[in-house]
Amino acid sequence: MRYLYYPGCSAESTGMAYDISTRALMEKLGVELVELDDWNCCGATSYFSVRELDSFAIAARNLAIAQQQGDEDLCVICNACYTTLAKTNRYMADSPHVREQVQGALKAVGRRYDGTKPVRHIMDVLVNDVGLEAISEKVARRLTGIKVAPYYGCQYSRPIGSFDDTEDPQTMDRFFEALGADVLTDFPAKLKCCGGMMMLTNATGAVRLCHEILKSAEDLGADVIVAACPLCEMNLEGYQPNVNKAYGTHFHIPVMYFTQLAGLALGIDPKQLAIDKQVVSCAPVLAAIPA
Amino acid sequence: MPAGEKIKICQQCGTCTGSCPTSSMMDYGPREVIAAFRAGMIDKVVKSNTIWLCTSCYSCTVRCPAGIKITDLMYELKRLGIKYDLLPKDTRNPAMTRYFIDNVLKYGRNHEVGLMARFMLAKDWSMPFNFAGLGIKLFTSGRLPLLPKQIRGKEEIAKMTAYLDAQEAKLQ
């Protein structure tokens, strides 16, 4: 099994543990990831605020490279990159104007893209290609008794919804059940917005949103929150002191990339999963996993 | 904006505002934005804090019974605000957007440390104090590399946007 791999900009800084643990996890599962050559920023939400076509064009440069580089699907780890790239495909398919303009822009730099490269979220690849049975068979340390709050984040399934439901996604729940965890399947905040980039421009508002999510996880007795997006992970983990200050709470909840916790279940060394890079110590989680 | 004409069939049901995680912080909720847009009161909407509080969560978009792409509409209004300099006084988002794009034009990727540093210097001196503990932890664990990664084809980004600039000029 082989995929082209788009890490995204966060994978080079705040979200580097997501990238490191993804590579380790996929290697363990026998999935080869080939990094997309000379990939650029997907444009995120910022480019949409300047010109819609610019955002599609710069996202499409990555898709054009992917199409040239190989026949494999393009695997993406960041929810925002995933949505931006998948949305570009969808709008190129739906709108002849978008398609024509994007292809014109690519042609201006000597590139071609027909709009058909499949963009896959890593969870989609794990659940639907690798398969939960195959993953379950490789578990070395079942996550028995670990209460996992699966936090999906907005752009996991919205607006695209190609591999999971836009209102009630379940893939991450099923994934961690396969690893033996005690999944909090009724975690009501699993899709509530963390505020995203708002943490930098309107911290009061974003802290309020994070408070709701953290409180919801704590009320259910979560041992760990798992995230599938570098921005969600950063907001929920890094700003717990700010939430505590604003709301008089005492949150100290470990937050991990879902690939880190899955890697532990598969017996990968915590160092290879960059677990020491987490801001809130994951020691209680490590200690609680049965050997 | 593909399918932008759908705002004509908005029934004002309010599902968007009810679904919006930030509507309680907004001057006008998304439903009111569409009503104002259709009533020709665009400037009022664009100058409100509303559109800049949209986090792109897409809850409204996936729920709208009329199929209106409300998140895309918010982007459109952000673009109008930036283009005609109709911005709410206290919003810092347009600056963040600008710096993000400058970063991508310069390096081909977003350099998070550079983006945050420029934003702090220009817009929010209090940030280093509010987030000092986090900054130190991220830095010491290697999660804040100081040097940007650059791509080989970075000039392609500027060339593509220049092409689209020229196309837009041709249409007007």
Side-chain angles (χ1 to χ4, degrees), chain A residues 4-13 19 23 34-43 58-66 69 74-78 81 85 111, chain B residues 104 107-112 149-154 156-157:
Chain A
L4 294 169
Y5 173 53
Y6 181 87
C9 302
S10 294
E12 295 183 329
S13 54
D19 174 57
R23 290 176 195 264
V34 182
E35 187 167 332
L36 189 68
D37 182 45
D38 206 43
W39 54 271
N40 57 268
C41 169
C42 70
I58 80 156
R61 177 181 177 273
N62 294 306
L63 300 168
I65 294 171
Q69 195 174 337
L74 183 63
C75 173
V76 184
I77 54 174
C78 166
C81 301
L85 295 167
R111 296 194 182 275
Chain B
V104 177
Y107 306 121
R109 291 182 190 167
N110 177 35
H111 178 230
E112 290 180 344
K149 287 254 174 91
Q150 306 202 23
I151 67 166
R152 298 191 305 278
K154 60 190 175 194
E156 291 179 33
I157 309 287

Side-chain angles (χ1 to χ4, degrees), chain A residues 10 12-14 16 37-39 41 48 50-51 61 87 91 111 155 158 167 201-202 208 233 277, chain B residues 24 53 56-58 63 72 79 92 101 108-109 112 141-143 145 151-153 156 165 168:
Chain A
S10 294
E12 295 183 329
S13 54
T14 53
M16 58 173 57
D37 182 45
D38 206 43
W39 54 271
C41 169
F48 283 113
V50 177
R51 193 195 287 117
R61 177 181 177 273
K87 186 176 167 182
Y91 281 50
R111 296 194 182 275
Q155 298 192 6
R158 287 191 304 248
E167 294 288 349
T201 54
N202 174 358
R208 180 167 138 192
E233 191 280 338
K277 288 192 189 297
Chain B
S24 63
L53 282 172
S56 308
C57 81
Y58 291 95
R63 288 181 181 170
D72 289 356
R79 294 194 285 272
R92 299 181 293 189
I101 285 163
R109 291 182 190 167
E112 290 180 344
S141 64
R143 284 172 74 172
I151 67 166
R152 298 191 305 278
E156 291 179 33
D165 282 340
E168 193 175 273

Side-chain angles (χ1 to χ4, degrees), chain B:
Chain B
M1 190 181 125
E5 71 288 346
K6 282 202 175 167
I7 69 160
K8 288 181 197 157
I9 56 168
C10 167
Q11 318 150 33
Q12 290 287 297
C13 71
T15 301
C16 47
T17 301
S19 307
C20 177
T22 56
S23 60
S24 63
M25 310 172 202
M26 290 173 170
D27 294 334
Y28 309 100
R31 179 190 63 79
E32 290 171 298
V33 168
I34 294 177
F37 196 89
R38 295 198 303 195
M41 298 154 78
I42 299 172
D43 58 326
K44 206 169 175 176
V45 168
V46 173
K47 276 195 254 178
S48 75
N49 74 356
T50 299
I51 52 175
W52 297 103
L53 282 172
C54 171
T55 61
S56 308
C57 81
Y58 291 95
S59 294
C60 53
T61 298
V62 299
R63 288 181 181 170
C64 176
I68 300 166
K69 292 179 169 144
I70 301 159
T71 312
D72 289 356
L73 174 67
M74 292 291 176
Y75 285 132
E76 182 69 43
L77 293 169
K78 287 176 187 176
R79 294 194 285 272
L80 282 175
I82 291 176
K83 189 172 174 187
Y84 296 106
D85 199 24
L86 292 169
L87 301 168
K89 275 190 204 107
D90 55 350
T91 187
R92 299 181 293 189
N93 293 60
M96 179 59 89
T97 299
R98 185 70 254 158
Y99 302 162
F100 188 97
I101 285 163
D102 286 350
N103 239 335
V104 177
L105 280 174
K106 201 165 164 190
Y107 306 121
R109 291 182 190 167
N110 177 35
H111 178 230
E112 290 180 344
V113 177
L115 176 69
M116 283 185 265
R118 188 170 166 200
F119 183 76
M120 279 190 252
L121 285 172
K123 295 285 167 188
D124 190 355
W125 279 92
S126 69
M127 212 185 233
F129 301 101
N130 290 336
F131 300 141
L134 175 61
I136 291 164
K137 276 187 187 164
L138 291 175
F139 186 73
T140 51
S141 64
R143 284 172 74 172
L144 289 179
L146 296 178
L147 293 176
K149 287 254 174 91
Q150 306 202 23
I151 67 166
R152 298 191 305 278
K154 60 190 175 194
E155 73 290 342
E156 291 179 33
I157 309 287
K159 273 187 198 161
M160 287 192 295
T161 52
Y163 170 86
L164 293 168
D165 282 340
Q167 288 290 307
E168 193 175 273
K170 236 190 259 177
L171 286 173
Q172 281 170 353

